[in-house]
Amino acid sequence: MGRGQKRGWGGGGGRGGGRGTDEWKQDKRNKGGFQQQQPQTQRPEYRNAAFEEYYRAQEVVPEGEWEAFLATLRRPLPVTFRINGSGKFADHLRDKLTTDFFAKLGGEELTVDGERVVPPRPLPWYPNGYAWQLEFSRNQLRKLPLLGAIHEFVKHANDAGSISRQEAVSMVPPLFLDVQPQHRVLDMCAAPGSKTFQLLEALHAGSTAGQSPAGYVVANDADFKRCNLLTHQTKRVCSPCLLVVNHDAARLPSRLYRPAEPGSANHGVRGSDSRLDVRFDRILADVPCSGDGTMRKSPDIWRKWSIVGGNSLHACQLRIALHGAKLLEVGGRMVYSTCTFNPVEDEAVVAELLLRCEGALELVDVGDCLPELRRMPGKHTWKVKDRNRFYSSWSEACGDGYKLLESMFSSPAKQALPLERCMRFLPHHGDTGGFFVAVLRKVSELPSASAPTKEAEAEAEEEDAGGDDAAAAAAEAAAAGAVDGDGGEADGGDEAAAAAEAKEEDAADGGEAGPMEGVEGEAEGEAGPSKAEAARGIDAARAAAEAGVAAAEAAVVAFEKGDYEAAKRALAEAEAASRRAALAAGQEPRKSKAERQKEQFAERQMKSAAKQAEQNARAQAKARAAAPKRGAEGGEGAEGGEGEEEAGPSSIAQVSWIRGGGGRGRPVGGKYAWIDPVAPMEDEAVLTSLYDYYGMSTDFPLRSQLIMRSMDRTPKRLYFVSRSVLDLMLADGREALKVISTGLKVFERQVIRDQVNECPYRLAQEGLPLVLPYITRQRVELTAPVLLQLLRHRNLLLPAAAEEEAKEADATTPAGNPKGTKPTLTDPAVLAALEPLKMGCVVAELRAEDARALGFALPSRHTAAAAAAAVDKAAAAAQDGAEAGDVTGGLAANAPLAVVAWKGKASLAIMVERSECEQMIDKLSAELEKQPGAAPAAAAGATA
Ligand SMILES: C[S@@+](CC[C@H](N)C(=O)[O-])C[C@H]1O[C@@H](n2cnc3c(N)ncnc32)[C@H](O)[C@@H]1O
C-alpha cells in the first residue's frame, strides 16, 4: 500500500508522543479499536530534519536500509491483534478466523480496483498462531463483503474480550519475561495495560477453573487516571491475582511493615513491626519514553519530535530501572523496554544500570528465543546530542553540553559490556512499529543492598512510622508530571522535584546508596535546583501538603455531619494548601495531581452525602408504605436491585482492617482518603447466607478472601482476592502501597422487592469460573440446544407463565402465529431440575454429557484443598521446565460454559452482557454443527 492510500483499519490519527497514552486515546475513541485513517490531504508532512539527522548519526539502521526504514515509518501501521487465553476456545477462534474467513480470501492474486488485497498473516514468531496482522484499505473493506464480515467478527471478538488489539512489537516484552504461575510479577509502568494482560495470562497458564495460581501481578502506574484505565483493561482476564497500585515506579515501596497483632505481647512496642522486603521474580520496566517507534500509529510525532524528549527522560528511565533491579529477587528476570530507537533511552540506560550494579545484574542472551522475530543487536557506541551539537564522549561534553548527564554516554567500560544482547526492532523488518528490549537477570544482591546500616534502618522506620502521606502525594504528583499528557516528554522542574524526593525515599528505604547514587544528583545538577534547595522545597512541600490533608480530612468530617458550608471552607483550605505544596515542590502553579484527586474526592463525598440523604428518605418512605410493590423479575430488570441499600450511620461496616482510602466511615480518613478502601467482608450474616444459598464448600475461603471496596455494611459488590495478594496487603500495615484496585468481582447485591430474599447477592459472571466449582446448590444443567436457546433469547418463560401469556394473547398475528407468545422453556428434564431450586440467582451450565461430546471443559466440582494441590503441581511442573497444560483457567474464555441466571416466578433469565453471550453462542453453535448428523436447525437451537 502506498503512502497516499487510506488504510481501513489503521492506527494513525493519534496525538502526541507516548504510545501508552495514544493507545488509550485510540481505545477511547473507538471501542472496537478499528479506526478509519484520516484522508492524506489532512496529514502533516511526514518529515523531520532533526529526527533524520539524529538517527542517521546514531547508525541504528543498517547500511543501505535507511530509505526503506523511512518509507515504512511513513506508512500507517497494519492492524494486529492477538487471541486471548489459550487452549480450546483460543484454538477455536484461530481456526474459525483461518477457515471461515482468511482462507476464503484466496491467495495473493485478489485485487479490488486493481489494488492487491494483502492476505492476513499470522505473526510468525507469536506462539500457537494466536497473533495476526491485517491490512485492508477502506476501499477494499467497502467493496469486498467478506472483508466487512471479518471486520465485524474481529470487532465483536474484541468487545467480548476474546481478542486484544495490540501493536505487534508491544507483544514482545512479556514473551521474553517467561512468567510462570508461581511468580511474583511487577509491571512498573503498566497503563493502559496491554502487557499486564499478557503477564496475567501467563500467570494463569495451566490452571483450571476454580484455581488461582500461587503468584501475582502488581501493576503500577504513576498516573492515577491511567491506573483506572489499567483496571478496566485487565478486567477481562478475570484474575483475583492482580493488584493495581499508583506510585512513581522509582519509589515503589521496597519494604512493608506489619504491626504486631492487637493482644500480642509486642503490640504497640516500638520497632516490633515485622518487616517484609518486597521482591519480585519477574519485573517489566516498560518505561515512559519519547515514543518515536510509534510514529506509524501517531504521525504527530513527526512534527513534535526533538532531541529534548529523549534526553530529558533518560534520568527518569534510569531511576526506574535501578529501582527495578533493587526490587528484583536474586535469580529473577527483568525486561527493560521502550518504544524508541534512541540509544540514550535504550542502551545508555541498560549500560549504566549494569555498571552501577557491579555485576549483580547481567544481560541474558536470548538469541535463541523466538528465532523468527527479526531484530538488530544492541549498540556499543552512540552519540549524544544537545540542542547545539553531537558529542562522542562525556569528557567532550561535560563543560559545554546543555542538560546532558554522564550516564547518557558510551564509555570504554560500557563498550566492554555484551550490549549486543539488547534487541532493537526496526519497522521495515517486520512491518511493525519500533521497539527496544533488554532481558536482564539478577545473579547476586546489589552492592551494599544486602547490608543496610543500622542507622539507615532506624531512619527508614522513623520515616514510615511518620505516615508522610502528604509528602508522598506531593512527590507522586511531581513524578506523574514528569510525563506530559501525551505520554512522552519530561518537564525539567517536575523531574527534578521527583528525583529529589526519590532520593529522600531511598534514604528512608534503607539507604541503599550503591548503584542508586548519582542519578538524582545528576538530574538535579543539570536540570533542577541544588540538593539543599530541593531539600528545603521538600520540607515546605511536606508542611503544606500535611496542612492540605488535615483540611481535606476536616472537609470529610464536615460532609459526614451534613455541614456543607464548613466542608466547602475546609475544601478551599485544602486546595490552597495543595497549591502551596505544589509550588514548594518546584512545580508550576497549575493544578497538581494531588489537588485534582482531592477535588474529585471531595466532589464524590458531596455526591455520596446527597445520595445518602436521598436514600435515607426513600428507605423511610418505603418503611411507611404498607402495600408491597411488585418488584423486578429476573433478567436485566432485576439489576435495579442495586439501589436498595439501607442508609444512615448504622450502615457503616466495622472491619478488622482497611487498606487504601476509607473516606466515609473511617475514623481517621485513611492514608489515601480519596481512594476507595479495600476491606474484608466480615459480616457473618452475609457470609453465612452466601455459603448456605450457594451450598459453597466451607473450605472455599470466603471468610478470609472476600473483600469490598466501600465501607457500607451492604456493599454493592464483593470481590475475591488470591491469598498471595491478600498477604501482600496485610503485610502492609503502614499502608505504603497506594492500592487502586484489586480482586475479582464474584458477587453483586441484588434485592427483589416482592420476594423473600434469602441471599442478598447474586453471582457475577466474571467471577463465575473461579467460584463455580465450589458451588453445590442452585446449579441447573442444560442440554446444548436449551443453553443455546437461553443465550439467544436471554429470557425464557416458564410453562405456567407461558400459559397465562397464551390466554392473554388474543387471536393470531396476520401471519397466523399465536400473538404474544414468548420463547418458553419446555424441556421436561430441565424443568424438573429447575423446580427444586430457590427463586433468585442460579447457574445455568452445559451438562457434562454435552460438554464432553462437544469438547468443552466439563462442569467441575472440587474442593479448595484439591485446587491448591493442583496449583502446587503446576508450579512444580513449570519449574521443571514442563509445558503448561493447554487449559488456561482463571480466564473466562476457557471456563466451562456456564452463565449466571435468575429464576423468577415466570421466567429464567440470564445476566450476562450481550457481547459475551454472542461469543458463547458462536462457540456452541460451531461445535454443534460439527456433530455428525446435526441438522442446522438443531445447531440453531430451539427457537420457540
Ligand atoms: C509506555 S507506557 C506503558 C505501556 C504499558 N506497559 C502497556 O503495555 O500498556 C508508559 C507508562 O508509564 C507511566 N509513567 C510515566 N512515568 C512514570 C513513573 N515515574 N512511574 C511509573 N509510571 C510512569 C505513564 O503514565 C505510562 O502509562
Side-chain angles (χ1 to χ4, degrees):
M1 186 182 297
R3 187 180 156 207
Q5 290 164 312
K6 301 158 203 158
R7 178 157 288 152
W9 298 352
R15 271 181 27 224
R19 66 197 140 112
T21 311
D22 188 61
E23 274 166 13
W24 172 70
K25 279 185 194 128
Q26 291 206 355
D27 286 343
K28 267 191 84 169
R29 280 196 305 262
N30 189 337
K31 263 187 102 190
F34 306 107
Q35 66 178 70
Q36 302 290 304
Q37 187 69 27
Q38 298 231 335
Q40 203 242 333
T41 47
Q42 291 174 25
R43 287 182 187 167
E45 188 61 8
Y46 292 168
R47 292 195 182 283
N48 184 312
F51 172 85
E52 293 186 34
E53 181 205 30
Y54 185 72
Y55 282 114
R56 268 187 194 277
Q58 297 296 7
E59 297 177 355
V60 291
V61 179
E63 185 91 24
E65 294 183 19
W66 180 254
E67 288 309 323
F69 168 76
L70 275 188
T72 310
L73 269 186
R74 287 176 178 138
R75 292 208 321 259
L77 197 64
V79 166
T80 45
F81 64 85
R82 55 179 190 82
I83 296 173
N84 297 328
S86 60
K88 185 172 171 62
F89 286 171
D91 289 351
H92 162 74
L93 200 58
R94 178 198 56 206
D95 298 345
K96 183 172 173 72
L97 278 167
T98 316
T99 51
D100 290 7
F101 294 122
F102 302 156
K104 289 184 184 159
L105 282 173
E108 301 275 324
E109 63 288 345
L110 191 63
T111 59
V112 172
D113 296 340
E115 181 195 0
R116 190 173 78 93
V117 176
V118 180
R121 69 170 184 114
L123 299 178
W125 43 268
Y126 197 89
N128 300 327
Y130 284 167
W132 287 78
Q133 175 171 314
L134 311 175
E135 200 171 356
F136 310 130
S137 72
R138 195 186 291 173
N139 184 40
Q140 291 171 338
L141 269 183
R142 207 175 41 237
K143 295 212 167 143
L144 213 58
L146 183 56
L147 293 187
I150 296 175
H151 184 186
E152 277 307 299
F153 181 83
V154 171
K155 207 158 148 302
H156 275 133
N158 191 71
D159 290 348
S162 314
I163 65 160
S164 292
R165 214 195 124 184
Q166 188 176 355
E167 211 180 310
V169 275
S170 151
M171 301 173 195
V172 171
L175 295 180
F176 281 112
L177 207 52
D178 182 30
V179 169
Q180 292 166 19
Q182 74 280 14
H183 283 156
R184 298 159 295 171
V185 184
L186 170 65
D187 192 349
M188 297 184 91
C189 307
S194 44
K195 296 184 194 77
T196 315
F197 198 119
Q198 284 178 272
L199 300 177
L200 281 167
E201 283 193 332
L203 192 81
H204 280 280
S207 50
T208 52
Q211 290 178 353
S212 303
Y216 55 79
V217 175
V218 174
N220 172 69
D221 202 277
D223 186 316
F224 181 78
K225 260 198 194 153
R226 286 167 67 82
C227 280
N228 290 327
L229 178 70
L230 170 63
T231 303
H232 179 76
Q233 297 278 85
T234 46
K235 231 188 220 165
R236 299 184 308 184
V237 192
C238 299
S239 172
C241 309
L242 173 67
L243 186 72
V244 175
V245 297
N246 173 216
H247 294 268
D248 171 0
R251 304 181 67 239
L252 272 162
S254 60
R255 269 178 206 159
L256 302 179
Y257 292 89
R258 182 180 193 159
E261 296 290 330
S264 71
N266 281 337
H267 182 59
V269 177
R270 195 176 153 74
S272 67
D273 296 1
S274 53
R275 191 182 92 182
L276 174 76
D277 286 330
V278 180
R279 293 291 176 268
F280 296 91
D281 306 296
R282 294 290 183 269
I283 296 183
L284 176 61
D286 188 38
V287 297
C289 68
S290 54
D292 48 30
T294 66
M295 277 174 152
R296 299 183 70 185
K297 193 174 72 177
S298 311
D300 249 22
I301 300 176
W302 280 104
R303 186 171 50 78
K304 289 182 176 172
W305 192 94
S306 92
I307 189 60
V308 178
N311 283 356
S312 60
L313 281 164
H314 168 89
C316 170
Q317 292 159 339
L318 182 54
R319 278 195 303 118
I320 293 175
L322 280 165
H323 197 59
K326 174 172 157 183
L327 297 176
L328 191 64
E329 188 68 87
V330 173
R333 185 178 268 216
M334 174 161 92
V335 166
Y336 175 85
S337 58
T338 73
C339 58
T340 173
F341 307 108
N342 191 351
V344 170
E345 302 175 70
D346 296 341
E347 283 93 339
V349 174
V350 173
E352 186 70 18
L353 173 69
L354 292 172
L355 288 190
R356 300 239 185 139
C357 291
E358 296 177 17
L361 211 61
E362 60 182 33
L363 268 168
V364 182
D365 182 356
V366 287
D368 289 347
C369 305
L370 309 181
E372 293 187 83
L373 179 62
R374 188 164 170 201
R375 63 201 86 171
M376 293 301 297
K379 299 181 64 60
H380 291 85
T381 57
W382 55 90
K383 295 184 176 111
V384 181
K385 185 176 184 287
D386 66 5
R387 59 188 177 186
N388 301 315
R389 53 174 278 230
F390 280 100
Y391 302 88
S392 299
S393 66
W394 174 238
S395 57
E396 196 188 329
C398 63
D400 304 344
Y402 181 74
K403 288 193 177 180
L404 300 182
L405 307 175
E406 185 175 3
S407 55
M408 294 174 177
F409 287 82
S410 176
S411 68
K414 289 178 184 170
Q415 284 161 29
L417 296 167
L419 292 174
E420 71 282 358
R421 292 180 181 175
C422 298
M423 295 169 276
R424 182 171 279 107
F425 302 98
L426 297 177
H428 58 295
H429 286 172
D431 198 7
T432 62
F435 228 79
F436 174 87
V437 177
V439 183
L440 301 141
R441 181 170 42 228
K442 190 166 175 177
V443 290
S444 62
E445 285 296 347
L446 300 188
S448 82
S450 44
T453 61
K454 285 228 161 5
E455 291 76 359
E457 267 192 42
E459 203 184 321
E461 296 203 4
E462 194 71 41
E463 193 68 34
D464 277 333
D468 64 338
D469 44 324
E476 270 151 30
V483 175
D484 75 13
D486 274 354
E489 306 189 359
D491 154 336
D494 287 357
E495 177 63 25
E501 301 230 19
K503 189 166 184 76
E504 192 187 41
E505 158 79 7
D506 279 335
D509 226 346
E512 294 175 22
M516 311 299 292
E517 214 161 50
V519 188
E520 304 82 10
E522 285 160 351
E524 282 163 27
E526 298 294 334
S530 72
K531 284 181 194 172
E533 278 167 348
R536 274 199 299 281
I538 289 162
D539 283 346
R542 174 179 292 148
E546 272 170 358
V549 168
E553 281 174 5
V556 174
V557 173
F559 274 123
E560 278 169 6
K561 283 190 188 151
D563 186 350
Y564 299 143
E565 281 312 309
K568 271 188 204 157
R569 278 197 305 277
L571 178 62
E573 244 173 72
E575 283 168 5
S578 191
R579 256 192 306 276
R580 286 200 305 278
L583 278 170
Q587 294 179 26
E588 294 295 320
R590 62 184 159 83
K591 277 190 180 168
S592 70
K593 182 143 280 183
E595 267 183 298
R596 289 200 304 273
Q597 285 174 346
K598 283 200 179 91
E599 275 178 19
Q600 284 162 3
F601 170 62
E603 204 177 301
R604 280 208 304 274
Q605 289 292 331
M606 183 98 86
K607 279 191 190 146
S608 133
K611 193 173 159 207
Q612 182 107 37
E614 200 183 309
Q615 283 178 342
N616 271 339
R618 264 216 312 268
Q620 282 166 12
K622 197 174 145 199
R624 281 197 299 273
K629 286 179 199 142
R630 194 181 141 70
E633 164 133 321
E636 288 145 53
E639 281 169 52
E642 275 197 349
E644 293 291 307
E645 289 177 33
E646 281 116 49
S650 64
S651 70
I652 290 166
Q654 301 300 311
V655 290
S656 58
W657 58 269
I658 307 177
R659 294 292 179 269
R664 188 169 69 84
R666 189 168 188 187
V668 288
K671 183 166 177 182
Y672 298 115
W674 57 90
I675 301 172
D676 289 342
V678 179
M681 161 44 79
E682 291 174 336
D683 184 324
E684 201 40 48
V686 169
L687 289 167
T688 306
S689 79
L690 291 172
Y691 274 117
D692 287 353
Y693 183 84
Y694 295 105
M696 292 189 87
S697 70
T698 45
D699 62 354
F700 187 72
L702 279 187
R703 280 201 168 76
S704 55
Q705 286 170 239
L706 204 57
I707 58 155
M708 48 198 198
R709 301 301 317 272
S710 97
M711 297 312 295
D712 280 322
R713 278 188 61 191
T714 52
K716 286 182 180 166
R717 298 171 193 93
L718 300 176
Y719 303 81
F720 186 84
V721 279
S722 70
R723 188 68 237 175
S724 52
V725 168
L726 185 72
D727 286 345
L728 193 64
M729 285 192 290
L730 291 178
D732 183 22
R734 295 185 194 170
E735 298 191 35
L737 289 171
K738 186 170 165 192
V739 175
I740 302 302
S741 71
T742 189
L744 170 62
K745 186 169 74 175
V746 283
F747 295 109
E748 281 193 67
R749 193 165 155 74
Q750 182 90 54
V751 178
I752 298 298
R753 280 171 231 129
D754 63 347
Q755 195 172 297
V756 178
N757 211 42
E758 284 202 32
C759 177
Y761 289 91
R762 71 167 174 89
L763 291 158
Q765 182 71 24
E766 62 196 78
L768 197 57
L770 183 83
V771 295
L772 185 56
Y774 306 97
I775 291 179
T776 60
R777 297 196 187 122
Q778 298 294 101
R779 291 172 69 156
V780 58
E781 290 198 355
L782 311 183
T783 60
V786 174
L787 180 56
L788 201 52
Q789 184 192 19
L790 183 60
L791 287 167
R792 288 213 166 109
H793 299 292
R794 300 180 65 79
N795 199 331
L796 296 180
L797 280 184
L798 297 175
E803 270 174 34
E804 282 297 309
E805 280 263 333
K807 272 189 221 153
E808 280 172 26
D810 52 5
T812 54
T813 62
N817 296 322
K819 203 171 160 187
T821 309
K822 293 190 180 142
T824 305
L825 186 58
T826 53
D827 186 311
V830 174
L831 287 170
L834 199 58
E835 169 67 26
L837 304 192
K838 290 174 184 155
M839 288 225 274
C841 186
V842 297
V843 180
E845 57 192 321
L846 183 62
R847 67 176 183 176
E849 207 179 319
D850 289 22
R852 198 172 295 113
L854 299 173
F856 289 107
L858 295 180
S860 54
R861 293 164 199 261
H862 58 204
T863 63
V871 168
D872 289 346
K873 206 172 135 207
Q879 246 164 358
D880 291 347
E883 286 288 307
D886 71 342
V887 180
T888 302
L891 304 172
N894 296 298
L897 266 190
V899 287
V900 174
W902 192 267
K903 180 188 167 188
K905 279 187 195 152
S907 68
L908 179 68
I910 55 170
M911 312 184 86
V912 186
E913 276 183 24
R914 268 178 207 282
S915 57
E916 205 172 328
C917 279
E918 273 165 30
Q919 289 293 305
M920 290 192 211
I921 291 169
D922 198 51
K923 287 168 195 163
L924 192 53
S925 48
E927 293 304 326
L928 274 172
E929 271 167 29
K930 283 188 210 155
Q931 292 303 298
T943 47

